[in-house]
Amino acid sequence: MSKKNMLRLAALTAAAALALTACGDDAADPGTGNGGEGTLRIGTKYDQPGLGLDEGGTMSGFDVDVAKAVAEKLGYSEDQIEWSESPTPQRESMLETGQVDMIFATYSITDTRKEKVQFAGPYLVAGQDLLVKADDDSITGPQDLEGKLLCSVSGSTPAERVAEDYPGVQLQEYDTYSLCVEALAGGRVDALTTDDTILAGYAAQEQWAGQFKVVGAPFSEELYGVGIPKESDMCEQVNEALTELYEDGTMDEIIDKNFGPAGYTPAPGTNPPTPGGHCG
Ligand code: GLU
C-alpha cells in the first residue's frame, strides 16, 4: 500500500472509530463497539447465487465480498460481521428499525427509497432483464409478455416497472427470486424478471444447468447502493471505501471472481459508477 493510501486508511479508520463510539452509546445498537471492536451488522440476500448466497452458514457472492471489503476498510475483520437475511420487501424497514447497520443486497437507489433510508454508492449498475426456459424463443423482451405469466418479487423496482409500463402482463409476485425460479422450472410461470446480475447467477447455478437463458436485452438502469439508516453518520465513509476499492483494483477482482463463472460482464457504458450523491 502506498504511503498516501495508508494515511487515508488511517484517517478513515479514525473517523470510523469516532462514528462507532457515537453508535455505541445508542441503546438500540448494542453490538457496535469502539474502533472496529464489536460487530458490524450487515444485511444481504441468502438465495441469490453469485450475489448473496448462504450455503450452510458460508456466505458468498459479489455483495458479500463488497461488504467484507468495505467492512475491512472501516476496521472490521470478517469474523466481526454479523450477517442477516434482508429480502427485497423488508430492506427499508430493517434499516428504519435499526436491525442492521448496512444492507448490501442488489439494492437499487431510488427516490422513493431515499425518503426512508440513505445510500452509499452506487457501486455497480445492473439492468432489468428476463429469464426464460432455454428452449423458449417467443419472449425477446417485455413487449412479448402480453398474456404471459411473469414472476417477480414484491417491492422490487423490476416488479414496479412492469406494473406501470406493461399493464397487460400478468404479474405473479413472491417474496424471493428463488421461489420464482422454482415456478419457472415447474412451468407455473413463463418468465422471471429482475436484474440481469441475478438472472445470470440462476442460469449458471449447477442445479439448473442448461434449463434457463437470460434474454439479454436490459431495459433499465439499476444503481446498486449500500442501504444505511438515515441517522447513521457512516455513509460518506462507505463512499470513500467504495471509491478506494475501485482505485486499488479490489472491485475488479471481486467482479471477476463472482460474475466470471456466470459469464456476466457489467455494462461498460454505465460501469464503473462514481459513488456519492445519495447520502443524507
Ligand atoms: N435491484 C432491484 C431492487 O432493488 C431488484 C433486485 C432486488 O429485488 O434485490 O429492487
Side-chain angles (χ1 to χ4, degrees), residues 55-79:
E55 286 172 299
T58 305
M59 302 298 298
S60 68
F62 171 73
D63 277 328
V64 167
D65 284 345
V66 175
K68 284 182 191 170
V70 166
E72 192 184 344
K73 296 232 179 249
L74 298 178
Y76 290 91
S77 64
E78 227 178 285
D79 54 18

Side-chain angles (χ1 to χ4, degrees), residues 88 128 150-165 171-174 177 193-194 222:
T88 295
Q128 180 171 359
L150 177 68
C151 198
S152 197
V153 164
S154 34
S156 70
T157 49
E160 278 166 16
R161 189 168 296 109
V162 167
E164 261 168 48
D165 298 351
L171 189 59
Q172 167 82 57
E173 294 186 37
Y174 288 120
Y177 297 109
T193 191
T194 188
E222 305 295 325

Side-chain angles (χ1 to χ4, degrees), residues 37-62:
E37 287 167 29
T39 56
L40 190 64
R41 300 163 308 157
I42 297 180
T44 190
K45 297 296 181 73
Y46 277 21
D47 69 332
Q48 294 179 186
L51 289 143
L53 188 66
D54 172 23
E55 286 172 299
T58 305
M59 302 298 298
S60 68
F62 171 73

Side-chain angles (χ1 to χ4, degrees), residues 40-46 48 51-53 59-72 74 81-87 91 95 100-108 119-121 123 224-228 234-235 237-239 241-242 245 251 254:
L40 190 64
R41 300 163 308 157
I42 297 180
T44 190
K45 297 296 181 73
Y46 277 21
Q48 294 179 186
L51 289 143
L53 188 66
M59 302 298 298
S60 68
F62 171 73
D63 277 328
V64 167
D65 284 345
V66 175
K68 284 182 191 170
V70 166
E72 192 184 344
L74 298 178
I81 300 175
E82 200 180 290
W83 299 102
S84 33
E85 185 173 15
S86 55
R91 291 176 297 199
L95 291 166
V100 287
D101 298 312
M102 290 172 197
I103 288 183
F104 296 73
T106 57
Y107 199 3
S108 296
F119 288 99
Y123 59 95
Y224 286 180
V226 182
I228 301 177
M234 294 177 89
C235 192
Q237 293 164 52
V238 176
N239 274 335
L242 291 169
L245 292 176
M251 199 63 99
I254 292 176

Side-chain angles (χ1 to χ4, degrees):
M1 194 187 293
S2 73
K3 187 137 192 218
K4 187 169 148 250
N5 273 344
M6 254 164 80
L7 284 174
R8 286 183 66 189
L9 184 60
L12 194 63
T13 311
L18 270 178
L20 290 167
T21 307
C23 275
D25 292 333
D26 184 347
D29 191 14
T32 313
N34 297 337
E37 287 167 29
T39 56
L40 190 64
R41 300 163 308 157
I42 297 180
T44 190
K45 297 296 181 73
Y46 277 21
D47 69 332
Q48 294 179 186
L51 289 143
L53 188 66
D54 172 23
E55 286 172 299
T58 305
M59 302 298 298
S60 68
F62 171 73
D63 277 328
V64 167
D65 284 345
V66 175
K68 284 182 191 170
V70 166
E72 192 184 344
K73 296 232 179 249
L74 298 178
Y76 290 91
S77 64
E78 227 178 285
D79 54 18
Q80 287 176 295
I81 300 175
E82 200 180 290
W83 299 102
S84 33
E85 185 173 15
S86 55
T88 295
Q90 290 170 33
R91 291 176 297 199
E92 286 85 62
S93 68
M94 287 179 77
L95 291 166
E96 286 182 301
T97 55
Q99 287 174 62
V100 287
D101 298 312
M102 290 172 197
I103 288 183
F104 296 73
T106 57
Y107 199 3
S108 296
I109 301 172
T110 69
D111 287 341
T112 317
R113 290 172 180 167
K114 277 167 70 174
E115 288 169 15
K116 297 179 172 174
V117 303
Q118 54 180 334
F119 288 99
Y123 59 95
L124 191 85
V125 182
Q128 180 171 359
D129 209 324
L130 298 164
L131 188 75
V132 296
K133 284 277 188 70
D135 59 0
D136 185 348
D137 292 326
S138 70
I139 300 171
T140 58
Q143 71 286 347
D144 298 330
L145 291 170
E146 195 85 12
K148 304 256 187 190
L149 192 50
L150 177 68
C151 198
S152 197
V153 164
S154 34
S156 70
T157 49
E160 278 166 16
R161 189 168 296 109
V162 167
E164 261 168 48
D165 298 351
Y166 302 93
V169 178
Q170 263 183 283
L171 189 59
Q172 167 82 57
E173 294 186 37
Y174 288 120
D175 271 355
T176 62
Y177 297 109
S178 48
L179 287 173
C180 283
V181 176
E182 281 165 28
L184 183 61
R188 294 186 300 281
V189 298
D190 300 303
L192 154 55
T193 191
T194 188
D195 305 339
D196 47 8
T197 44
I198 302 171
L199 300 177
Y202 288 126
Q205 202 176 11
E206 217 178 289
Q207 79 183 100
W208 307 118
Q211 286 200 49
F212 308 124
K213 65 180 177 196
V214 182
V215 165
F219 51 99
S220 78
E221 281 181 11
E222 305 295 325
L223 276 65
Y224 286 180
V226 182
I228 301 177
K230 279 258 190 212
E231 58 275 11
S232 167
D233 52 10
M234 294 177 89
C235 192
E236 291 299 353
Q237 293 164 52
V238 176
N239 274 335
E240 265 192 61
L242 291 169
T243 303
E244 286 181 16
L245 292 176
Y246 266 110
E247 281 171 6
D248 69 15
T250 308
M251 199 63 99
D252 289 333
E253 282 169 27
I254 292 176
I255 287 171
D256 288 349
K257 175 185 157 197
N258 292 290
F259 293 141
Y264 180 80
T265 314
T270 44
N271 287 282
T274 306
H278 303 283
C279 290

